[in-house]
Amino acid sequence: MLKQTFILTCLLSILLSGGLYAQGKTDFNNYKTLLSSGSIPEDFSLSTYEKVDRDIKVDRPDLAVSLRKKFYTGIHSAIDDIIHSEVCVFGDPISIYVKDIAKNLLKDDKETFRELRFYTLKSNETNAFSTDQGIIFVTTGLISQVSSEAQIAYVLAHEIAHYKRKHVLERFKQKTVLKNANYYELSTYSKDRELEADADAIELYKNAGYDEALIEPTFDVLMYSYLPFDELKIPENFFNANEFYVPPFKFPKEPFAITAEENYNDSKSSHPNISKRKKQVLEVLEKGSGWKGGPSVLGADRFDEIRTIARFESVRNSILALDLTNALYSIFVLERDFPNSQYLTTMKAKTWLALAQMKSAGVSKPFESKIHKEGEIASLHAILKKMDKLEVSSIALRHIYDIRAANTSNAEIQAIYERMVETAANTKQFTLESFSKYNYQQAIQRNKAYNDSIAKIPVDSLAKAENLKTESKYDKIKKKRSVDGNIDAQVFDSSAYYLYGMKDIMADSSFVKTFKAAQNKSTTSSSSSEKKDKLIPAIPDLKTKSIAMVDPDVEIMESSPKTVKISESVKAHATELILEEASDNGYNINTDNAPSELTIEGLNAFMYLKSALRQTEGYSKVNFFPVDYSELQNMSKKYKSDVIMIPTILYIDNKKSAPMEVAKPVIATWYVPPMALILLTGKLLDSQKTFINFIGVDLKNGHADYSNVFMVSGRPSRVMLGSKIYEIFKSTN
């Protein structure tokens, strides 16, 4: 009988029922994030080294043999960083839609169309870009911002023009030839190529049947892309719920102006400014004969659905990026058309929880955003920024409590509610006694009645009472409390509006019990001198857990033309050795995410894992709630594994890489804590070192933790890796 189960590279198939597919309408009430689908392209299945080795053999007269390895190594490494991130998907509705638009654009150039591949990046950045290899990436942020299919078509036509003119290769050669060129020369070169692509794009766009008049507005999409995908005024009842009321004086009186300029200084940009691009496009159009087309070829309904998908994705993207104001604003906009969306309701609860947690923990990032200073969203951001801890916690609790009451059978919302009660209990100013037994309007009326009764008392009597001065400080305080200890309407303070309209929550015995239990737990843990146990404190402790392992993540830090090949070799050796040692020690292994046996299920599961790692890094100071909670729970149940382990291997050769060249890429990775601390000390960079570390993702709560770092002198040879992996597995017996 096996002692426990190890799953290498996460079989972990995600239930796709209710998910997105190209045929039929998307169920936005039960929306699921975009996942990859269909046959796995070679861009995803081949290793970086295999791609470099393949492309070097292709005869290209436009690229000198001496430069080929450098060019292909650099470009494939950069592309693979994107492809293997958690944001890149293929075969999803957006990728298919973009491909269909491109097919129409290239209906007279089928050869070029066959060379292209289209992938979606789940990012709120408004962007699209092409590669020399024929990959065109389009972000959900771009799709969410456009007003028509025609605008997407023009952007695609621009990227296709870059590809056909081999601008990526030209820029590489320009930088190689002009080694001593200043930034201005390279920037000017890039601007010329952008204008060239715009001119070519017009012809493709025209022949595809799109309206000439819709080209110029496409540049508005780029200019205002820093704003949300719609401009809706935040109503003064935005925060109201049940009997909870937020007074109008909390809302800014003056509008926040939008200041974007077309003719901005582009001297330090690789792209010409919007004004120059518009001017050239209009000049090209004036020279032509003019034409009329339509805003859509594939149909308005399909465009609306695809754009809505992108807008739904923006909510998840914002939560992951800690852009919580944008998440809340996007939900507000989307709920106009989808008031019954369970997805939006759940995401709203997650957003309010995250806002309360961040404010309570004193994390300023969500409230200091530079991109929310203009437009309608600036009003919401200004209000949230000025709120104190108790204020945000009260509003968040009110909304999440009501969401839970309306969704009593939803396990995920129940879990969010419990985390919110815990957050309130851990907020220093939050006490049960703080809240009034009256709502805002009742308190005003009682305050008025009290003041009226005071006014009827003769002035001499009031003066005489004041002159006695016999009341103690504590007598005065008690007068300000009602008999049951709650704040009385007689001392009503409109600025403390959040203390009113919470009567039902404070009277809920279940809430009070849960709150007090969380408060006692917080007090106990605070007074305890013992440190919290790590999820994976040391490799020998793995024998006490059910663990799943994934394909090793390998980083080679040295300036060598063989770096990519070494990295792939180390990964292959590590995977093979883990399989061997696990088998010898009686563990079951699954390889659905290994490069040689890659599956859609493995790719999608790894996307969820990397999102959990990203959230752990961004939300490190709080007990955050995972954005993909339900999917992680499904993994845990299906494979009976509480923790997924990701082995990471880092090799540093200080003789071939400067310390800062080493530190910068490592700091950007998701295994920062153990590695960065070692690197930044500088003490271990005096020779060749190999570091082996394990990251564990807890599927129950979405949090990640790190094992001790195992350091070995020398290169990560097969013999060295075999010895260390053997030692690790033996320690689990």
Side-chain angles (χ1 to χ4, degrees):
M1 184 176 178
L2 298 178
K3 288 169 281 189
Q4 65 241 74
T5 301
F6 276 68
I7 305 176
L8 176 67
T9 67
C10 51
L11 169 65
L12 302 180
S13 107
I14 309 301
L15 297 177
L16 297 179
S17 58
L20 304 178
Y21 47 91
Q23 304 298 322
K25 291 290 184 180
T26 303
D27 181 5
F28 289 110
N29 287 339
N30 299 285
Y31 183 77
K32 301 289 183 182
T33 189
L34 292 174
L35 298 173
S36 292
S37 180
S39 301
I40 300 175
E42 284 192 345
D43 295 318
F44 288 77
S45 60
L46 293 182
S47 70
T48 305
Y49 177 71
E50 287 174 320
K51 295 173 192 174
V52 173
D53 195 45
R54 175 199 63 195
D55 290 353
I56 284 176
K57 297 173 183 176
V58 178
D59 182 32
R60 289 191 67 167
D62 53 354
L63 181 59
V65 175
S66 60
L67 294 177
R68 286 180 189 175
K69 187 161 190 177
K70 182 178 180 181
F71 175 69
Y72 287 123
T73 298
I75 198 166
H76 279 303
S77 295
I79 292 170
D80 282 356
D81 283 345
I82 297 170
I83 281 177
H84 298 302
S85 70
E86 87 274 15
V87 302
C88 187
V89 291
F90 60 85
D92 61 285
I94 292 180
S95 296
I96 293 171
Y97 181 66
V98 168
K99 182 178 180 180
D100 288 347
I101 294 175
K103 185 176 183 179
N104 180 47
L105 288 168
L106 293 168
K107 59 189 175 185
D108 298 325
D109 187 358
K110 292 181 173 57
E111 182 179 351
T112 297
F113 178 72
R114 285 193 295 269
E115 295 171 357
L116 299 174
R117 288 91 73 202
F118 304 89
Y119 305 137
T120 299
L121 300 181
K122 299 196 288 186
S123 166
N124 286 350
E125 295 290 330
T126 303
N127 201 6
F129 54 97
S130 59
T131 75
D132 183 75
Q133 283 66 37
I135 298 173
I136 294 181
F137 294 102
V138 176
T139 66
T140 53
L142 171 68
I143 304 299
S144 74
Q145 295 274 358
V146 296
S147 300
S148 67
E149 176 191 316
Q151 291 180 339
I152 301 175
Y154 183 76
V155 172
L156 279 179
H158 178 95
E159 295 308 323
I160 291 169
H162 276 313
Y163 169 74
K164 292 182 70 173
R165 285 185 174 270
K166 300 301 177 187
H167 282 162
V168 172
L169 176 60
E170 280 193 32
R171 179 161 173 78
F172 167 77
K173 291 194 292 186
Q174 185 79 0
K175 290 177 71 175
T176 303
V177 173
L178 299 176
K179 289 183 179 180
N180 298 318
N182 59 38
Y183 188 86
Y184 177 77
E185 290 176 295
L186 293 175
S187 179
T188 300
Y189 174 83
S190 296
K191 288 184 179 69
D192 290 343
R193 296 302 172 263
E194 289 300 323
L195 295 173
E196 192 173 67
D198 278 335
D200 288 355
I202 292 173
E203 204 58 33
L204 280 175
Y205 177 94
K206 173 184 177 181
N207 294 336
Y210 293 105
D211 191 350
E212 172 187 355
L214 294 176
I215 294 180
E216 185 181 359
T218 304
F219 294 102
D220 292 334
V221 174
L222 302 179
M223 186 167 71
Y224 298 112
S225 63
Y226 64 95
L227 295 168
F229 51 73
D230 206 344
E231 278 289 294
L232 286 182
K233 184 177 179 62
I234 296 291
E236 290 186 347
N237 66 351
F238 178 81
F239 297 100
N240 297 352
N242 205 346
E243 294 190 7
F244 191 89
Y245 176 77
V246 179
F249 65 74
K250 292 296 296 183
F251 291 77
K253 301 302 179 187
E254 299 298 325
F256 292 84
I258 296 173
T259 62
E261 293 287 342
E262 289 186 359
N263 195 25
Y264 54 84
N265 184 353
D266 61 6
S267 61
K268 294 183 178 180
S269 171
S270 61
H271 285 59
N273 63 38
I274 301 297
S275 178
K276 291 175 183 175
R277 294 183 70 179
K278 271 189 176 183
K279 181 180 178 182
Q280 177 187 271
V281 166
L282 291 174
E283 287 175 353
V284 172
L285 293 175
E286 286 172 4
K287 292 177 183 177
S289 57
W291 77 91
K292 287 187 177 180
S296 174
V297 172
L298 303 181
D301 288 346
R302 190 177 177 193
F303 166 75
D304 287 340
E305 181 177 8
I306 293 300
R307 185 177 64 175
T308 303
I309 289 173
R311 291 181 171 185
F312 267 66
E313 284 294 329
S314 75
V315 176
R316 180 178 179 273
N317 294 341
S318 294
I319 293 175
L320 281 171
L322 260 180
D323 188 3
L324 302 175
T325 308
N326 197 59
L328 204 58
Y329 187 85
S330 297
I331 292 168
F332 159 67
V333 172
L334 290 167
E335 281 187 327
R336 288 181 309 160
D337 296 324
F338 303 95
N340 301 316
S341 172
Q342 186 66 51
Y343 177 83
L344 293 177
T345 297
T346 304
M347 285 298 188
K348 185 193 292 184
K350 290 176 184 176
T351 304
W352 274 119
L353 171 61
L355 282 164
Q357 288 181 320
M358 291 298 155
K359 185 71 83 167
S360 182
V363 179
S364 62
K365 183 178 178 181
F367 310 100
E368 298 295 336
S369 174
K370 294 180 180 179
I371 63 172
H372 297 326
K373 305 293 186 182
E374 300 182 14
E376 297 298 342
I377 193 174
S379 175
L380 178 59
H381 186 72
I383 297 169
L384 291 171
K385 183 178 179 180
K386 290 180 180 179
M387 286 181 177
D388 62 28
K389 296 178 181 180
L390 179 56
E391 202 169 352
V392 175
S393 289
S394 300
I395 296 175
L397 175 61
R398 176 75 267 178
H399 281 274
I400 294 172
Y401 184 91
D402 292 344
I403 288 171
R404 171 178 169 266
N407 298 272
T408 54
S409 61
N410 189 305
E412 183 171 15
I413 287 175
Q414 175 63 30
I416 296 169
Y417 166 74
E418 291 171 0
R419 194 68 57 83
M420 183 62 236
V421 176
E422 174 192 294
T423 301
N426 292 333
T427 301
K428 194 172 182 180
Q429 296 90 338
F430 198 108
T431 63
L432 299 178
E433 296 75 23
S434 298
F435 297 91
S436 174
K437 63 181 181 180
Y438 306 107
N439 66 31
Y440 191 89
Q441 295 302 327
Q442 289 171 337
I444 289 176
Q445 292 302 317
R446 289 179 65 85
N447 186 62
K448 182 178 182 300
Y450 175 77
N451 288 334
D452 288 346
S453 66
I454 290 294
K456 294 176 182 178
I457 300 175
V459 176
D460 290 345
S461 300
L462 288 173
K464 184 177 181 181
E466 286 183 5
N467 291 333
L468 291 176
K469 295 183 180 179
T470 56
E471 291 183 314
S472 70
K473 162 188 171 183
Y474 307 102
D475 291 330
K476 295 173 184 175
I477 291 174
K478 288 176 182 177
K479 270 195 171 183
K480 292 184 178 181
R481 297 282 180 177
S482 62
V483 176
D484 61 3
N486 285 314
I487 292 179
D488 196 279
Q490 294 172 1
V491 288
F492 173 73
D493 178 4
S494 61
S495 66
Y497 65 92
Y498 46 89
L499 300 180
Y500 305 91
M502 303 280 279
K503 176 185 175 182
D504 56 330
I505 300 178
M506 299 305 141
D508 184 341
S509 58
S510 175
F511 164 77
V512 173
K513 183 179 178 181
T514 305
F515 179 87
K516 288 182 176 179
Q519 203 170 44
N520 291 336
K521 183 179 178 182
S522 174
T523 304
T524 303
S525 61
S526 299
S527 60
S528 173
S529 58
E530 295 180 9
K531 293 182 179 179
K532 284 182 67 178
D533 288 338
K534 288 172 72 68
L535 177 65
I536 42 174
I539 294 303
D541 287 349
L542 294 185
K543 63 184 178 182
T544 66
K545 299 179 182 295
S546 175
I547 303 291
M549 283 185 152
V550 301
D551 189 35
D553 184 79
V554 178
E555 292 285 340
I556 305 295
M557 300 299 172
E558 67 170 17
S559 301
S560 166
K562 296 181 179 180
T563 296
V564 172
K565 186 173 183 179
I566 293 171
S567 176
E568 300 296 342
S569 176
V570 170
K571 178 175 284 194
H573 289 327
T575 302
E576 181 183 349
L577 290 164
I578 290 172
L579 285 168
E580 290 177 2
E581 291 299 333
S583 178
D584 291 345
N585 285 275
Y587 296 98
N588 283 336
I589 301 290
N590 187 285
T591 57
D592 276 15
N593 201 44
S596 59
E597 303 177 46
L598 202 59
T599 66
I600 288 291
E601 290 80 5
L603 280 172
N604 289 330
F606 201 56
M607 181 274 292
Y608 286 124
L609 293 179
K610 283 206 167 185
S611 293
L613 289 167
R614 181 180 170 193
Q615 213 175 346
T616 295
E617 183 179 354
Y619 288 72
S620 60
K621 292 187 177 181
V622 302
N623 183 20
F624 69 85
F625 194 88
V627 71
D628 299 315
Y629 174 85
S630 294
E631 288 74 14
L632 295 177
Q633 298 301 300
N634 289 339
M635 288 185 190
S636 180
K637 291 175 184 177
K638 186 174 179 65
Y639 296 98
K640 299 177 182 178
S641 179
D642 296 334
V643 180
I644 291 181
M645 294 290 291
I646 304 175
T648 67
I649 300 168
L650 171 66
Y651 168 67
I652 302 169
D653 186 345
N654 191 41
K655 297 176 182 177
K656 297 181 180 179
S657 56
M660 284 312 296
E661 290 176 338
V662 172
K664 284 181 180 178
V666 171
I667 290 172
T669 66
W670 34 260
Y671 49 90
V672 172
M675 298 301 184
L677 292 176
I678 290 173
L679 292 171
L680 297 178
T681 61
K683 295 179 180 179
L684 300 176
L685 297 178
D686 56 351
S687 60
Q688 296 175 333
K689 300 287 183 184
T690 297
F691 302 93
I692 301 177
N693 175 52
F694 289 77
I695 301 175
V697 179
D698 189 331
L699 297 178
K700 293 297 185 182
N701 62 23
H703 295 198
D705 213 333
Y706 307 82
S707 75
N708 297 329
V709 178
F710 294 83
M711 183 186 72
V712 184
S713 295
R715 299 172 70 90
S717 66
R718 180 183 172 85
V719 173
M720 184 272 277
L721 289 172
S723 173
K724 181 53 62 178
I725 291 171
Y726 170 84
E727 181 183 327
I728 290 170
F729 272 90
K730 282 300 180 185
S731 70
T732 66
N733 289 330

